[in-house]
Amino acid sequence: MLVTGATGIAAATAHRLARTGVHVLVLARDPTTTESLVSGVRDAGGHIDAELVDLTDEAATVRAFERLRARAARLDGLVAVAGGSGRRFGDGRLDAMALSAWEETLRLNGHPTMLAVREGLRWMRGQEPDASGARGAIVVVSSVLATSPSPERFGTHAYAAIKGAQLALVTTLAATHAVEGIRVNALSPGLVDTPMARRAAEDPDLRAYAARKQPLVGGMLDAADVAAAAAFLVAPASRGITGQELVVDGGWHVTSVAP
């Protein structure tokens, strides 16, 4: 099983998968967080390997997959998490956004998804199906903001756009590769307590908003909640599911609160 990213949802997913006894492969670019993740999984008795790579770099990503293929005979699952907020580039309302902010936000979130999923598909299509006829399962982590915006609190339009594009990509990939025994699904979390969400975590007003908007968890979701869903979607237990969006949002979609 392969996971992109080494913090937050990605780290929680790697730990969750490792506890099931599978060999976890990680692609991430930060050496400190990647080393910490690898050490933590191994200390817990898990089997994990990692490659440092900038997943926005096509050539580097291809080489990283080649190295991973030398370490693992098969790729049965891929969870594409890597990405991040574009606020530092100027992501916000479209009518106040520079083109550079749009491009950098889409690059940060779109390139890692496209490249990792492309290389994962190439790997899966080249391997023999297992006893059930499956060649692999892919999960793309999108966001609740793609379909349930909160413009007053989280009005980052480039981020929402690329997360919506990921949902469309999942649909067309699922339709294309179902006949080959490859499943592709999306996972859309609500507001999760991760390093990416530090702004919200450190803002009492946003935390109070999260408590009202995500009443099932009384605030921000734990990354482990999302990791459990990711692990399910790449497991044989979900063998009949493809082209779907699983929303893990603590009630965000169905809860209306004052701005």
Side-chain angles (χ1 to χ4, degrees):
M1 297 288 182
L2 192 153
V3 180
T4 67
T7 63
I9 294 169
T13 300
H15 277 282
R16 176 79 181 216
L17 292 172
R19 287 199 296 273
T20 69
V22 303
H23 180 189
V24 178
L25 307 172
V26 171
L27 290 174
R29 66 180 180 180
D30 182 77
T32 301
T33 56
T34 303
E35 182 179 350
S36 176
L37 173 59
V38 170
S39 296
V41 169
R42 288 177 177 168
D43 288 347
H47 188 191
I48 185 171
D49 284 302
E51 287 286 339
L52 294 176
V53 60
D54 178 357
L55 287 166
T56 67
D57 183 323
E58 181 177 20
T61 300
V62 171
R63 290 194 297 270
F65 266 86
E66 289 173 349
R67 292 192 293 271
L68 289 179
R69 292 184 73 164
R71 298 183 182 186
R74 292 182 59 86
L75 179 62
D76 292 311
L78 164 63
V79 184
V81 187
S85 172
R87 286 182 181 276
R88 65 184 182 273
F89 307 126
D91 187 15
R93 287 176 49 130
L94 189 65
D95 58 350
M97 190 189 309
L99 179 60
S100 60
W102 175 269
E103 291 176 333
E104 289 302 316
T105 303
L106 268 58
R107 176 182 176 83
L108 176 65
N109 291 279
H111 285 29
T113 297
M114 180 271 178
L115 290 171
V117 171
R118 186 190 73 183
E119 294 306 306
L121 282 168
R122 289 173 173 175
W123 189 342
M124 291 174 181
R125 294 186 72 210
Q127 63 193 14
E128 292 298 318
D130 64 18
S132 70
R135 279 193 170 88
I138 294 171
V139 176
V140 174
V141 177
S142 179
S143 169
V144 71
L145 294 177
T147 54
S148 184
S150 177
E152 298 85 2
R153 307 297 180 112
F154 301 94
T156 46
H157 293 176
Y159 181 80
I162 188 59
K163 290 301 173 179
Q166 289 173 336
L167 297 179
L169 180 64
V170 162
T171 301
T172 193
L173 290 179
T176 300
H177 297 288
V179 295
E180 298 174 319
I182 298 173
R183 299 186 297 108
V184 187
N185 290 290
L187 178 56
S188 292
L191 187 58
V192 186
D193 192 359
T194 66
M196 177 182 162
R198 185 172 292 113
R199 178 184 74 96
E202 295 176 349
D203 185 329
D205 183 56
L206 288 177
R207 289 194 72 91
Y209 177 78
R212 302 192 305 273
K213 190 67 172 166
Q214 300 184 158
L216 291 181
V217 293
M220 299 175 75
L221 287 150
D222 191 286
D225 297 322
V226 185
F232 165 70
L233 287 174
V234 294
S238 62
R239 62 185 295 268
I241 301 173
T242 194
Q244 302 302 307
E245 178 194 10
L246 177 56
V247 179
V248 181
D249 67 359
W252 178 294
H253 261 93
V254 296
T255 303
S256 176
V257 301

